[in-house]
Amino acid sequence: MNSPHTVRSITAHVNGVLIGDGADAVVTGVNDLRSAGPDQISFLGNAKYEALARQSKAAAILVAARDAPRFTFTRIVVDSPSHAFAKISELFAPPPIRDQPGIHSTAVVAPDATIGEGVSVGPHAVVSSGVRLGPGVVIGANCFIGEQAVIGEKTRLYPLVIVRERCVLGARIIIHSGAVIGADGFGYDFDPATGRHVKITHTGYVQIDDDAEIGANTTIDRGRFGRTHIGEGVKIDNLVMIAHNVAVGAHSIIVAQTGISGSTSLGRYVTLAGQVGLAGHLSVGDRATITAQSGLNKDVPAGAVLAGHHALPIRESLKLEALVRRLPELVERLKALEEKIKSLP
């Protein structure tokens, strides 16, 4: 699109329908409902923010078709306000950083490492013996790539990422700073003769498939044997811990502070919300959803939605929660009934 952007041109950009005045208003950016000014676009993605939408000074607000008739402000009707807002945000994003191909003078690259065309290796990064970097790979400053690791084309490692020996990363993966891929799993045997925990050697590796994204300070442990496997398109938030020999199915979502114990398997399109904890050796079916702060110690069927510290089907969990909130009232009613019974002749 040619600058400057107007409400009319932005409406066309997202294939929306414009309702209200101000089609020719110039738009210089995007913002949230509370902060948006008369030269900015915002969106209403959740009904609880309707009051803010009515008070917003935005030039126009993206809304869903079902909500549009309730408002009088200038609105752009789209199928998904959140998705359309993301598309508009790209118009105003700063230009992407262009990494210069080449190896920084302070980087340490083993002579037998294979470096593809257009690779960028940043300051003080270490690329060990036998490593293979595909075309267009970006290795940020102070990264460490262990021996015989393989990293596919156009994968980006932000500064301070560690990829340990023999791990295999696919194409177009993004790994954010502080992530550690391929550390030893938490595996020990107790030796009663010595009274000590004896470390179990981990001979496996981590495989991350194409188009995955790994958040900052997330850790993915190598398999005790075989692999820990992160499937295609998986999106993992910051501060997630994935133990040895876990398998995460394609296009699953794992939100911050979740922990998955060893040898647990997630199907495709699974969602684990924040601070979910999974015991080891479990199976979670395709498209299952586990809500925030839930704990799992049993298998989950495909498509299930579970909630609670000991996760239950969501309807059962919500019913129990409602009953717990009524306990004070129910106790008082019980006491009143007991007093009536005592007064009976």
Side-chain angles (χ1 to χ4, degrees):
M1 296 177 65
N2 295 323
S3 295
H5 305 298
T6 64
V7 171
R8 178 182 284 108
S9 65
I10 283 175
T11 301
H13 183 65
V14 295
N15 295 318
V17 176
L18 180 62
I19 301 177
D21 300 328
D24 295 321
V26 175
V27 178
T28 63
V30 296
N31 214 326
D32 62 83
L33 290 168
R34 191 189 303 275
S35 305
D39 59 346
Q40 294 177 313
I41 297 289
S42 193
F43 79 106
L44 177 63
N46 189 315
K48 72 178 183 179
Y49 297 116
E50 282 192 13
L52 284 177
R54 296 179 193 279
Q55 298 167 12
S56 180
K57 297 178 181 179
I61 299 175
L62 298 158
V63 299
R66 66 178 180 277
D67 299 325
R70 298 203 303 275
F71 304 117
T72 58
F73 51 74
T74 300
R75 52 220 183 269
I76 301 171
V77 182
V78 292
D79 292 336
S80 171
S82 180
H83 291 169
F85 188 72
K87 190 174 181 181
I88 293 169
S89 297
E90 293 175 354
L91 298 175
F92 302 99
I97 296 172
R98 301 294 182 184
D99 298 283
Q100 293 299 319
I103 298 172
H104 193 274
S105 60
T106 62
V108 178
V109 178
D112 64 344
T114 301
I115 309 298
E117 182 179 356
V119 166
S120 174
V121 180
H124 303 288
V126 175
V127 179
S128 302
S129 176
V131 167
R132 287 184 287 155
L133 304 181
V137 165
V138 176
I139 306 296
N142 293 294
C143 287
F144 173 85
I145 314 299
E147 292 188 0
Q148 300 176 29
V150 177
I151 300 179
E153 65 175 323
K154 296 184 179 179
T155 285
R156 174 183 289 272
L157 275 54
Y158 282 97
L160 297 169
V161 168
I162 294 174
V163 177
R164 289 272 302 273
E165 62 275 10
R166 302 188 309 280
C167 291
V168 179
L169 278 57
R172 300 173 302 280
I173 293 168
I174 299 171
I175 304 183
H176 291 277
S177 296
V180 178
I181 311 300
D184 288 356
F186 193 69
Y188 302 90
D189 276 331
F190 182 72
D191 183 357
T194 62
R196 294 177 178 272
H197 296 283
V198 180
K199 182 176 178 62
I200 297 171
T201 301
H202 283 66
T203 61
Y205 64 102
V206 174
Q207 176 180 328
I208 303 177
D209 291 346
D210 297 350
D211 301 305
E213 184 162 357
I214 312 299
N217 293 318
T218 280
T219 59
I220 303 175
D221 292 345
R222 69 178 52 249
R224 177 180 174 184
F225 41 81
R227 67 181 180 178
T228 300
H229 184 205
I230 309 300
E232 178 186 7
V234 168
K235 310 302 182 188
I236 301 177
D237 201 355
N238 304 333
L239 296 167
V240 170
M241 188 279 168
I242 297 179
H244 53 204
N245 293 103
V246 166
V248 180
H251 307 293
S252 292
I253 296 287
I254 303 175
V255 185
Q257 298 184 348
T258 287
I260 306 176
S261 299
S263 299
T264 283
S265 177
L266 308 184
R268 295 165 57 87
Y269 296 97
V270 168
T271 298
L272 303 182
Q275 296 185 333
V276 166
L278 276 67
H281 302 275
L282 300 181
S283 176
V284 179
D286 293 349
R287 300 183 184 275
T289 297
I290 315 300
T291 65
Q293 295 190 325
S294 296
L296 280 184
N297 59 7
K298 59 184 179 182
D299 292 345
V300 178
V305 180
L306 302 187
H309 294 299
H310 295 286
L312 301 168
I314 192 165
R315 289 182 180 275
E316 185 177 348
S317 178
L318 292 173
K319 182 178 179 181
L320 289 173
E321 183 177 340
L323 289 172
V324 168
R325 291 178 179 177
R326 292 188 59 199
L327 280 177
E329 170 198 343
L330 295 174
V331 168
E332 292 303 317
R333 291 174 62 183
L334 180 59
K335 287 180 179 178
L337 288 172
E338 288 176 339
E339 292 299 322
K340 285 184 179 180
I341 290 172
K342 288 179 181 178
S343 64
L344 292 175

